[in-house]
Amino acid sequence: MAKKRRILLKLLFWILVLFVVIQFIPAKKPPVSEQNPNDFIRTAHFPDSVAVLFKNACYDCHSNQTVYPWYTYVAPVSWLIVRDVKDGRKHVNFSEWNSFKITKKLKVLDKAADEIKSGDMPFWPFLIMHPKARLTKKERKIMVEWLDNKGEKMFSGE
Ligand code: HEC
């Protein structure tokens, strides 16, 4: 029994050491900018009630306005978050919306609606710490309708 306990303590000790050591491995967070003249919400004239849904559910990974809570500074969580934000922005960065060509805009609207409809986005691990991003059926419907509507208007040149 005593031997087992010693082994367990040793193991815990080394896990703790490892945890401390990995904190020194830098995780380079994608930078935050509040100045985004081409922002989606701003330039696509969202109603506030819809804007808040996108902001809560999508903007941490798909805009330059990522909010980094304290746990995003703790490895190994920080590594996962850096990866998701980088990858998310690379796919769709809503802060740069108005600089996209019309074909890209239409594609983004269409894809975003698909992701919301299917429930694939917001990316699920995000929901653990972001209860506001847990969209209800009704909220999903509002977002999708708004995206579809915007797409139709753009398509008909409005
Ligand atoms: C926790 C981060 C995170 C959140 C929050 C998030 N996404 Fe994503 N999103 C990603 C990542 C990472 C990718 C790229 C990998 C993939 O497609 O799974 C992605 C990809 C996408 C794509 C591109 C899919 C494709 O086929 O190219 C769209 C569109 C998208 N997300 C829309 C949204 C919308 C709309 C929301 C809010 C309702 C949202 N995302 C919330 C991380 C996130």
Side-chain angles (χ1 to χ4, degrees):
M1 242 0 227
K3 197 174 171 201
K4 259 196 190 152
R5 198 176 305 146
R6 250 197 339 265
I7 292 174
L8 191 68
L9 277 175
K10 257 193 193 161
L11 191 65
L12 283 175
F13 172 76
W14 284 110
I15 288 173
L16 191 70
V17 169
L18 186 67
F19 178 76
V20 171
V21 166
I22 64 174
Q23 301 312 315
F24 292 93
I25 302 174
K28 217 166 163 283
K29 288 195 167 64
V32 173
S33 160
E34 297 298 329
Q35 304 302 322
N36 304 295
N38 288 321
D39 178 64
F40 186 41
I41 289 176
R42 186 195 286 197
T43 59
H45 306 294
F46 269 78
D48 286 348
S49 58
V50 184
V52 76
L53 299 175
F54 281 92
K55 199 131 198 182
N56 285 341
C58 317
Y59 263 49
D60 275 329
C61 301
H62 291 291
S63 85
N64 296 336
Q65 291 176 288
T66 309
V67 177
Y68 294 113
W70 66 268
Y71 52 83
T72 64
Y73 290 86
V74 183
V77 175
S78 52
W79 306 339
L80 300 176
I81 284 162
V82 164
R83 192 199 57 188
D84 287 346
V85 175
K86 266 193 195 148
D87 211 18
R89 285 188 190 180
K90 200 169 71 194
H91 277 77
V92 179
N93 187 338
F94 285 125
S95 296
E96 283 154 22
W97 163 261
N98 219 21
S99 67
F100 300 159
K101 290 203 185 84
I102 181 135
T103 44
K104 178 159 180 189
K105 282 182 174 167
L106 288 168
K107 211 160 100 185
V108 167
L109 290 171
D110 195 43
K111 274 193 174 176
D114 280 352
E115 298 289 335
I116 294 169
K117 248 186 268 178
S118 66
D120 287 347
M121 290 285 151
F123 191 37
W124 69 266
F126 182 73
L127 302 178
I128 302 168
M129 297 303 272
H130 293 84
K132 280 192 191 154
R134 292 176 202 150
L135 302 168
T136 64
K137 232 184 185 162
K138 200 171 150 209
E139 286 170 337
R140 286 183 190 278
K141 199 164 159 246
I142 292 170
M143 291 167 93
V144 169
E145 271 173 10
W146 198 89
L147 290 165
D148 286 349
N149 196 270
K150 183 80 195 160
E152 273 164 33
K153 276 191 182 156
M154 277 177 46
F155 200 68
S156 59
E158 245 183 78

